Amino acid sequence: MTVAAVFSLVMTLRYDGEKDARPDGPIYYYLVFFATAVSALAYYSMWEETAVLHVKEDSGVRVIFPERYLDAALTHSMVIIAISYLGKASTASMVGTVGSDLFMVGCLYVGAVLSPEHKFFWWGVGVVFFILLLYLILIELGKATDDGRVTEYDADTLRIVTYTNLLCWAWLPILWLIGQAGTASASLTMEIAIATCFDLLAKLVFCGTLLARLPAEGATNYGASYGTNGRSQLSSAFV
């Protein structure tokens, strides 16, 4: 993740607006850099056990990493802002989606550090906000791609980034439930391994896709019109 942060920073500093058809092109590079930088620092902090919490219960001691929740809150927001800009979503939609994500992550963190009598209530509230998050993102994705609000090229980019990240984010409440924060039915090692794999997959797809496809001559040359079925060949693979 550190390598990705350094690479995205170099790409940001070397950004050439003349090759980018989008007036807001630089924002994607900054979001990619900040997302990778936050993740790199969070992983380093967890490795150093800088802020690890040990929550005592009758069944034992639960190990909680606050950095994981801070990382999710910040980087999820950056992904949402990026796909909102790319999909030409309204400011109201962006605020609602980011707010739902922050409430979801916040509820999961509060539940993780509370006693067993209350933590599952907060987990349930977090799941409700996650469902709302899914609804808002998928509604905006449909407006952007199926209604022709963006080019076919950008529609494919949106689908790749959105579906991959939503799939990986869906494991956050599931891992909370089976991991140390919830029932602790999964070992700490297994929880860390699964969480790291999904987290890295989501962020590498987000960063790699945007850096590879933006700025893009294809954004103007690929074509803004859809076929009779309203979808491109590439996008049909993700639905």
Side-chain angles (χ1 to χ4, degrees):
M1 195 58 67
T2 303
V3 175
V6 173
F7 178 76
S8 59
L9 176 61
V10 173
M11 293 290 291
T12 303
L13 297 177
R14 296 183 59 187
Y15 172 78
D16 185 0
E18 295 181 357
K19 297 181 180 179
D20 195 345
R22 302 175 180 82
D24 56 355
I27 192 172
Y28 302 108
Y29 289 90
Y30 284 112
L31 289 171
V32 168
F33 166 66
F34 289 133
T36 51
V38 167
S39 292
L41 292 174
Y43 277 107
Y44 176 77
S45 180
M46 286 187 283
W47 178 68
E48 285 283 318
E49 298 186 358
T50 304
V52 63
L53 299 178
H54 295 87
V55 181
K56 294 182 179 181
E57 293 184 356
D58 295 337
S59 58
V61 178
R62 297 185 291 115
V63 180
I64 307 297
F65 293 96
E67 301 94 327
R68 179 188 298 177
Y69 298 91
L70 179 62
D71 176 34
L74 294 177
T75 57
H76 287 190
S77 299
M78 295 173 195
V79 173
I80 293 171
I81 293 173
I83 62 178
S84 297
Y85 267 100
L86 188 59
K88 300 179 181 179
S90 65
T91 302
S93 173
M94 188 187 308
V95 171
T97 310
V98 171
S100 298
D101 179 74
L102 292 178
F103 268 94
M104 176 197 69
V105 176
C107 289
L108 293 180
Y109 175 71
V110 171
V113 298
L114 288 180
S115 60
E117 296 81 21
H118 306 286
K119 65 180 181 180
F120 291 108
F121 166 79
W122 288 100
W123 175 82
V125 176
V127 170
V128 171
F129 277 107
F130 179 68
I131 294 174
L132 178 60
L133 170 68
L134 287 178
Y135 173 78
L136 294 175
I137 289 182
L138 292 177
I139 286 294
E140 285 302 319
L141 178 64
K143 291 179 181 179
T145 58
D146 297 336
D147 294 347
R149 198 163 65 187
V150 299
T151 65
E152 188 176 351
Y153 184 92
D154 285 348
D156 289 335
T157 305
L158 272 173
R159 288 190 175 96
I160 294 171
V161 174
T162 302
Y163 290 147
T164 303
N165 277 270
L166 289 182
L167 176 64
C168 294
W169 293 353
W171 281 92
L172 187 59
I174 296 175
L175 278 178
W176 187 102
L177 186 62
I178 66 174
Q180 294 289 301
T183 61
S185 56
S187 66
L188 178 61
T189 302
M190 179 181 296
E191 179 187 354
I192 293 175
I194 296 175
T196 302
C197 288
F198 278 105
D199 186 55
L200 289 178
L201 175 62
K203 287 166 183 170
L204 290 178
V205 169
F206 165 67
C207 300
T209 302
L210 291 187
L211 291 178
R213 298 173 67 88
L214 304 173
E217 296 178 358
T220 54
N221 298 333
Y222 199 89
S225 61
Y226 288 80
T228 56
N229 61 352
R231 305 177 189 271
S232 67
Q233 293 180 353
L234 176 58
S235 63
S236 63
F238 293 90
V239 293

